[in-house]
Amino acid sequence: MSRIRVTMGRLRGQWIETRPGLPYRPLPARLREAFFSHIGASVEDCRFMDGFAGTGLMGIYALSLGAGSVIFIEKDPRVARLLEQNLRRLGLTDRTDVRVGDIRRVLTRPPVAPMDWIFLGPPYDFPTPHLEDVLDRLIRYGWTQDDVRLAVQRFKKAPPPRAPGWELWGTLDHGDDVIYFFRRVPVP
């Protein structure tokens, strides 16, 4: 087992347990820290979704920086179990909901309240049309509100996804990764 250290917020210095060989790819530390520095206080008291959660680092960082609650979506049950163990060890289970399954199916079961921030970090080989379907389902099944903020991590050479109701308004990149920022717009 290996570990990733939390470097920001009230959980600073705590460790997230990881397991080599499980199918996830944590966001590089510099990009993760740049993302949370970029979004600043907007994470405080927000409802945050960590889609394609893997180790749950993005959601755990959001909680460390003051998010009110986080929904994690992870396809692999082994990875989800490890995520749940980390949440218990860190004392975060009262503000979290781990949903296990393919994200497109999970999104058909909406949350109690729409999200304020959504972070999607799909695998590099996740097809762009499938990602665009995820963006569509976020709106169609009630996961968003008008002022929701969406961030999508992609391989830098991959095009940004496009979907009705979303407008690209910024990027943040480091190394081979880029984070695309989107906002909701009316669908004509």
Side-chain angles (χ1 to χ4, degrees):
M1 192 163 311
S2 58
R3 304 184 304 176
I4 299 172
R5 188 169 59 89
V6 178
T7 59
M8 301 174 83
R10 71 174 187 82
L11 296 173
R12 183 184 181 126
Q14 298 288 321
W15 294 92
I16 308 300
E17 300 291 336
T18 63
R19 287 205 180 99
L22 287 181
Y24 54 79
R25 173 189 43 79
L27 189 66
R30 290 179 100 182
L31 190 54
R32 184 172 54 246
E33 291 172 11
F35 170 77
F36 282 106
S37 293
H38 183 74
I39 69 171
S42 68
V43 76
E44 292 177 18
D45 297 317
C46 82
R47 291 177 305 276
F48 191 94
M49 193 226 327
D50 185 350
F52 304 92
T55 61
L57 270 173
M58 297 305 284
I60 290 170
Y61 263 70
L63 290 164
S64 183
L65 292 166
S69 63
V70 175
I71 293 177
F72 297 90
I73 302 174
E74 173 51 47
K75 182 177 182 177
D76 190 300
R78 299 168 301 162
V79 177
R81 277 192 299 277
L82 180 61
L83 169 56
E84 289 170 332
Q85 289 169 9
N86 278 317
L87 294 173
R88 274 192 301 278
R89 187 177 48 73
L90 294 169
L92 300 173
T93 56
D94 61 328
R95 298 186 295 146
T96 59
D97 178 7
V98 178
R99 299 187 182 193
V100 183
D102 180 88
I103 193 167
R104 292 180 294 163
R105 282 196 303 273
V106 170
L107 290 177
T108 63
R109 299 183 316 263
V112 173
M115 301 291 102
D116 300 303
W117 260 108
I118 298 171
F119 183 87
L120 302 175
Y124 281 159
D125 62 353
F126 194 76
T128 299
H130 292 192
L131 183 57
E132 291 168 344
D133 182 50
V134 168
L135 270 58
D136 177 64
R137 287 168 185 252
L138 288 168
I139 295 172
R140 186 173 0 141
Y141 291 107
W143 286 81
T144 66
Q145 53 193 5
D146 290 341
D147 63 347
V148 68
R149 289 153 295 228
L150 168 68
V152 180
Q153 173 199 5
R154 299 287 281 164
F155 180 60
K156 194 179 275 184
K157 293 181 182 177
R162 296 173 190 223
W166 295 105
E167 176 181 71
L168 179 66
W169 64 270
T171 61
L172 187 62
D173 64 82
H174 174 74
D176 289 335
D177 292 282
V178 62
I179 296 175
Y180 295 107
F181 291 94
F182 294 89
R183 63 177 153 235
R184 282 283 308 275
V185 293
V187 179

